[in-house]
Amino acid sequence: VDRARFREFVYRNDTDNEHDTDNDNHQLFLVYEFRGDQFLSQQVRRIVGTAVAMANGWLPEDFMETVTDERRNLVLVETPCAPAAYLYQAAPRFHYAELYHRGVELFDIGTTPQGDIDEHGTNTHNNTHGKNWATTRLTEDPVDWIQQRLLEVCTIANVNVKHQHNNWIDELRNVVAPRIRAAVVQQHQRMDSEPHITTRDGNNDGLVVTQTYTNDDTTPPPQEYALVLKLLRDILRNGDWPETSPARSKVISRIDVDSDPSTDTYTTGSFTLVNERMFHVPYPPRANALFPKLAAAVFDLQAGFPFGTNGSSNNNNSNNQQISSHCAVNANAQFTPHVDSGRGAGQSLSTIVGLGTYQAGEIVVEGHVQDVRYKPYPFDGWKLRHWTRPFEGERFSLVWFTPEGTGLS
């Protein structure tokens, strides 16, 4: 959404008698317009539902700022969802065409543009593109026609729609809004009563730490992780960490101040390795050629886990279906809420594990906080939103997965 505005009032009298004074037959609608390149499912309905609740005082005045505060973007907050009956698409817009034709919308091309009419009845609009403008327009505006038909169907005078409307208002006032208020208060209480993590730039991120951490640089990793951790540290120490892809950069919020793009060295970022020994991948990523020892080590590490990436308990590591084809390798990367692209083939779950001397930095999956430091954790990254809690210190993470269309060798 790049634009939202109140557009107009629409007044409707549901009787043919314009002198009818019965308030039940008089209705006033507020029309809100939303424009954007694309919309999320229920996005507009939830914005409107939230606005209704705030306007009636059922949600606090700062609720919109609370749920969109960047410092709190890792907290899931329920939002009211308005009924779909009054929602409609007014028109598509084609930005480039409008710029090319000087503000004339695409479906108006060929109709009379705004301009002066001379004494001969000719439109004096300066047609610099040589278009053969027609001299007639539609007799009825399409948006007005859509609105009138919609109001006829969704009028509150309609018993069924009125019943649904009243039920939604009652539920919003008595059930949904109180539940949301209680959740927000509970979150604020947790934030006020528990210690906070402070990121390296000194800004408080607003998220609480739920554990006491005693990690330090002298704590050795578990033996099975020692080789992978050494190889990861060597890559950073030597300045060989590759640049993160643009797509993955969009879901990483934390960029380390020690990164130096001018020298192609990064201390924060992410790249992918593939398991070429077991899977046929026509075009393996460049990282496989750069770090062959690491590629072998990360998949050997996964093979030693007591469960497969489908989350089942299985100690038989000879089952190829338990080993993933890809592994995302992350260094000091704090991911924002997202779901993974594509769909897992042969696996419904991914597996993540954390390495290093970091504090906090748990993974959150749809609100469930999970410590993954040297603790492999399977989750459905294809369907469930997940992200990283803020952390301090050295943090690596490995995420094994199998994208759609990947086949065994």
Side-chain angles (χ1 to χ4, degrees):
V1 174
D2 55 32
R3 184 178 182 182
R5 65 168 181 165
F6 165 72
R7 178 168 175 169
E8 60 182 324
F9 289 102
V10 175
Y11 173 80
R12 180 175 175 83
N13 184 349
D14 290 319
T15 68
D16 295 330
N17 182 4
E18 63 180 8
H19 301 293
D20 184 3
T21 59
D22 187 349
N23 289 333
D24 289 340
N25 295 326
H26 294 188
Q27 300 167 63
L28 186 64
F29 292 87
L30 282 70
V31 180
Y32 289 92
E33 177 185 82
F34 297 85
R35 296 186 180 186
D37 293 329
Q38 54 186 323
F39 298 92
L40 299 176
S41 176
Q42 299 184 348
Q43 181 178 13
V44 172
R45 293 170 57 192
R46 291 190 178 276
I47 294 174
V48 172
T50 300
V52 171
M54 293 173 60
N56 284 278
W58 303 331
L59 289 178
E61 294 181 356
D62 63 347
F63 180 76
M64 193 68 75
E65 287 76 14
T66 298
V67 298
T68 57
D69 189 339
E70 292 183 357
R71 294 172 302 171
R72 302 170 186 261
N73 67 351
L74 306 186
V75 180
L76 296 181
V77 179
E78 179 186 0
T79 51
C81 187
Y86 302 105
L87 179 68
Y88 65 94
Q89 179 181 349
R93 299 191 64 197
F94 301 87
H95 184 64
Y96 177 79
E98 292 179 21
L99 289 177
Y100 183 77
H101 296 286
R102 298 189 173 183
V104 180
E105 296 185 7
L106 179 64
F107 293 109
D108 283 341
I109 297 174
T111 63
T112 304
Q114 296 295 326
D116 298 327
I117 305 297
D118 63 14
E119 65 275 13
H120 303 292
T122 303
N123 191 293
T124 59
H125 178 78
N126 183 17
N127 182 6
T128 58
H129 299 293
K131 299 294 182 183
N132 181 22
W133 297 98
T135 58
T136 60
R137 291 182 63 87
L138 294 174
T139 58
E140 184 175 8
D141 186 276
V143 174
D144 290 340
W145 184 88
I146 293 173
Q147 285 185 353
Q148 293 305 315
R149 301 295 84 76
L150 185 68
L151 293 176
E152 289 176 4
V153 174
C154 295
T155 175
I156 297 181
N158 181 304
V159 176
N160 291 333
V161 174
K162 182 177 181 180
H163 181 70
Q164 296 173 4
H165 177 86
N166 290 339
N167 283 347
W168 176 71
I169 290 294
D170 290 341
E171 184 179 15
L172 176 60
R173 177 178 56 240
N174 301 322
V175 180
V176 176
R179 182 173 65 228
I180 294 174
R181 292 198 307 268
V184 172
V185 169
Q186 183 181 24
Q187 179 63 28
H188 283 204
Q189 290 175 343
R190 290 181 56 195
M191 292 170 57
D192 292 339
S193 63
E194 300 185 15
H196 293 70
I197 277 291
T198 301
T199 55
R200 293 181 184 177
D201 61 3
N203 293 328
N204 191 314
D205 56 65
L207 294 179
V208 299
V209 178
T210 57
Q211 302 180 26
T212 300
Y213 297 93
T214 59
N215 306 338
D216 57 68
D217 292 341
T218 63
T219 303
Q223 182 178 358
E224 61 270 28
Y225 293 91
L227 175 59
V228 172
L229 183 59
K230 177 184 180 302
L231 293 172
L232 291 170
R233 286 172 170 171
D234 288 345
I235 293 173
L236 280 185
R237 186 179 301 111
N238 296 331
D240 294 332
W241 199 272
E243 183 178 3
T244 306
S245 69
R248 194 166 293 177
S249 297
K250 293 180 179 179
V251 293
I252 298 178
S253 65
R254 174 173 174 166
I255 302 299
D256 212 323
V257 295
D258 295 330
S259 299
D260 185 2
S262 65
T263 59
D264 291 329
T265 61
Y266 298 83
T267 56
T268 296
S270 176
F271 62 87
T272 299
L273 297 169
V274 299
N275 188 349
E276 294 184 272
R277 294 179 299 182
M278 298 182 62
F279 290 85
H280 173 65
V281 180
Y283 304 101
R286 189 169 66 98
N288 271 63
L290 293 175
F291 316 119
K293 292 182 180 179
L294 179 64
V298 296
F299 292 106
D300 288 342
L301 176 63
Q302 185 196 20
F305 291 159
F307 56 84
T309 52
N310 64 357
S312 62
S313 176
N314 188 341
N315 291 312
N316 181 8
N317 295 319
S318 64
N319 184 351
N320 290 337
Q321 294 299 320
Q322 306 301 317
I323 304 300
S324 299
S325 64
H326 290 60
C327 181
V329 183
N330 312 304
N332 303 318
Q334 182 181 335
F335 286 84
T336 60
H338 68 284
V339 293
D340 299 330
S341 61
R343 186 68 184 95
Q347 298 177 182
S348 61
L349 305 183
S350 303
T351 300
I352 184 173
V353 71
L355 304 86
T357 59
Y358 65 92
Q359 299 181 9
E362 301 95 335
I363 185 176
V364 187
V365 181
E366 292 291 349
H368 172 72
V369 180
Q370 179 67 38
D371 179 18
V372 295
R373 185 172 181 267
Y374 301 121
K375 300 175 183 178
Y377 178 67
F379 68 101
D380 192 342
W382 314 97
K383 292 183 179 179
L384 304 179
R385 288 172 294 181
H386 53 283
W387 59 92
T388 315
R389 299 188 84 176
F391 58 89
E392 286 187 336
E394 170 200 60
R395 184 184 189 276
F396 297 99
S397 65
L398 305 174
V399 184
W400 291 270
F401 63 98
T402 299
E404 185 176 9
T406 305
L408 291 171
S409 298

